[in-house]
Amino acid sequence: MESTWLVLVSLALGLAVGAGFVTLLHVAERHGRRAAEVVNPAVPDGIDQVLDALESAGAVLDPSNNVIKASPAAVSMGLVWNQQLVHPELLELARKVRRSGDPISESLILSRGPFNDASMRVRVRLARLGARYVLVLAEDRTEAFRLDEVRRDFVANISHELKTPIAAVGLLAEALNQAADEPVQVRRFANRLTTESGRLTRLTQEIIELSRLQAQDSLSEPERLNVDAVVSAAVDQSRVVADAARITIAVGKKSGAEVSGDERLLVMAVHNLVANAVHYSPEGSRVGVGVRRHDGVVEITVTDQGVGIAEADLDRIFERFFRVDQARSRHTGGTGLGLSIVKHIVQIHGGDIRVWSQPGSGSTFTIRLPEAPHPAPATTGAPQ
């Protein structure tokens, strides 16, 4: 009887030990699975495909703020580096989302990458993704913000530039009315009125022209143009003003170069450069205009012996309404749009414009355009 009890007790003890051992195995497996999830968490289903399809930047954070998945845009924008969010502002927003559980949208100014001083303006949105993750979405609004600033500056500059000639026209008209019985004064005020009216007309025309150029990215119907003829037409438009200031405009030898483009626009671009060279050159000086071709590039160069441009201004001279120190030129009254128009004309012709200048030594502007391809030679039939 005792042996039977011993067998039963032994079986019970064996079952208890086996059950405990199996339970320990299950617990260990569960803890191991949880540890693996923490060390190597899995992205929720479908998030990989969504992030890969996004044009904006996107990233998924685990509970330790490690980036477990990031879109290519998030890396290229410099938001993610070494599987971490670069910017502490985003990490703070992620903590707020975890605490409140509510999505957050904000506009931020962030540095562009961990080693870059440049900044960018982004619109970010963060939200919880399931119980453990946080989704970060970011859209780069830097270019849109820059364009908004350009538009605001453009409107402000137009208002400022128009205000001066319009006010002058009003004052001169009032002065004419008061000096009606004084012929000398009437002529003097009338001449000034004509000058201000011409300035207002030029400004309006150049604003319209610049708006048209900015609205088109390329030429609709380019023609094959002789560059020497373009330069000759542009120089002829400045001959009278140059002769009045005893400034010689010297044109180099014929180049035979040809480009594809719009003749009116290219003549305008070269004329603006020549007119500027005359405008800022002292009396009795010389302005040189030359054309050369090499390696499929046509260069139109305008060189003067004028006052030159300060190094600090070289990066800004192609901005709209920017003018160098008026006190250093022989005349005033420019619109500040000429070089901006030149830049846009050259760009829509597939070229670029470069400038070299040194105060007191003059300036050299160079328009670079792609040379028109040579026409294929005509083929003739075999003799009969």
Side-chain angles (χ1 to χ4, degrees):
M1 189 69 181
E2 289 182 0
S3 60
T4 302
W5 279 106
L6 288 175
V7 171
L8 291 176
V9 170
S10 299
L11 287 174
L13 183 59
L15 289 174
V17 171
F21 184 70
V22 170
T23 302
L24 287 174
L25 285 178
H26 281 292
V27 170
E29 181 185 3
R30 188 161 55 247
H31 281 291
R33 188 165 55 247
R34 288 178 181 174
E37 289 177 354
V38 172
V39 175
N40 190 20
V43 180
D45 292 341
I47 296 301
D48 280 13
Q49 292 82 356
V50 172
L51 290 181
D52 289 337
L54 283 177
E55 291 186 1
S56 56
V60 178
L61 307 180
D62 68 8
S64 300
N65 283 335
N66 297 310
V67 177
I68 60 174
K69 179 65 180 178
S71 68
V75 178
S76 62
M77 283 174 59
L79 299 179
V80 174
W81 182 71
N82 198 23
Q83 296 303 110
Q84 297 289 327
L85 283 181
V86 172
H87 305 91
E89 299 94 329
L90 296 179
L91 293 173
E92 179 59 29
L93 291 178
R95 282 190 283 268
K96 289 182 179 179
V97 168
R98 286 197 177 91
R99 285 197 300 265
S100 67
D102 298 325
I104 293 178
S105 296
E106 283 196 18
S107 295
L108 301 173
I109 300 178
L110 304 175
S111 61
R112 196 176 286 275
F115 312 117
N116 201 331
D117 293 334
S119 62
M120 59 182 173
R121 292 179 176 268
V122 296
R123 181 70 178 174
V124 298
R125 181 172 177 80
L126 292 83
R128 295 189 67 168
L129 191 63
R132 306 180 64 237
Y133 304 102
V134 172
L135 176 65
V136 181
L137 298 176
E139 183 181 1
D140 190 351
R141 302 296 304 278
T142 306
E143 184 65 16
F145 186 85
R146 188 190 68 81
L147 291 176
D148 286 341
E149 281 191 327
V150 168
R151 292 189 189 99
R152 287 195 297 270
D153 290 344
F154 190 46
V155 173
N157 286 330
I158 288 177
S159 302
H160 175 75
E161 295 293 333
L162 289 176
K163 180 175 65 176
T164 301
I166 289 174
V169 167
L171 290 173
L172 289 169
E174 183 180 345
L176 274 173
N177 186 47
Q178 294 177 355
D181 298 329
E182 302 177 37
V184 176
Q185 291 287 67
V186 168
R187 283 194 297 272
R188 185 166 72 90
F189 290 140
N191 289 335
R192 291 184 58 188
L193 187 60
T194 301
T195 300
E196 292 298 333
S197 175
R199 178 183 176 188
L200 187 58
T201 300
R202 288 196 307 274
L203 178 58
T204 304
Q205 289 175 342
E206 290 189 353
I207 289 173
I208 293 172
E209 191 65 51
L210 185 57
S211 298
R212 287 175 179 169
L213 291 171
Q214 290 178 322
Q216 66 180 105
D217 296 327
S218 59
L219 300 170
S220 55
E221 297 180 0
E223 300 175 340
R224 193 178 188 89
L225 304 175
N226 183 293
V227 178
D228 298 320
V230 169
V231 169
S232 178
V235 169
D236 286 344
Q237 295 181 18
S238 296
R239 289 286 187 191
V240 174
V241 176
D243 291 344
R246 297 186 298 110
I247 294 175
T248 302
I249 302 179
V251 181
K253 63 180 181 180
K254 302 291 184 182
S255 66
E258 293 183 327
V259 298
S260 296
D262 185 305
E263 182 176 11
R264 181 186 70 86
L265 293 180
L266 285 180
V267 169
M268 180 189 302
V270 178
H271 166 64
N272 281 351
L273 293 182
V274 175
N276 269 3
V278 173
H279 184 82
Y280 287 99
S281 294
E283 292 189 3
S285 61
R286 176 187 178 95
V287 171
V289 184
V291 180
R292 77 184 189 107
R293 48 196 285 213
H294 66 97
D295 297 334
V297 177
V298 177
E299 293 185 349
I300 306 171
T301 304
V302 178
T303 303
D304 64 57
Q305 299 172 330
V307 295
I309 305 168
E311 184 177 356
D313 293 335
L314 286 177
D315 292 336
R316 300 192 58 199
I317 58 173
F318 294 106
E319 294 179 10
R320 291 170 296 187
F321 298 109
F322 180 79
R323 288 191 288 261
V324 297
D325 185 3
Q326 290 286 353
R328 301 171 62 195
S329 68
R330 292 186 300 103
H331 307 290
T332 58
T335 63
L337 291 174
L339 289 179
S340 183
I341 289 175
V342 173
K343 179 182 177 181
H344 279 84
I345 290 175
V346 172
Q347 285 179 339
I348 65 175
H349 280 80
D352 64 8
I353 181 168
R354 300 177 179 182
V355 59
W356 173 91
S357 187
Q358 185 173 349
S361 300
S363 305
T364 298
F365 287 84
T366 303
I367 293 175
R368 302 173 72 251
L369 299 171
E371 186 175 10
H374 297 289
T379 57
T380 57
Q384 299 294 327

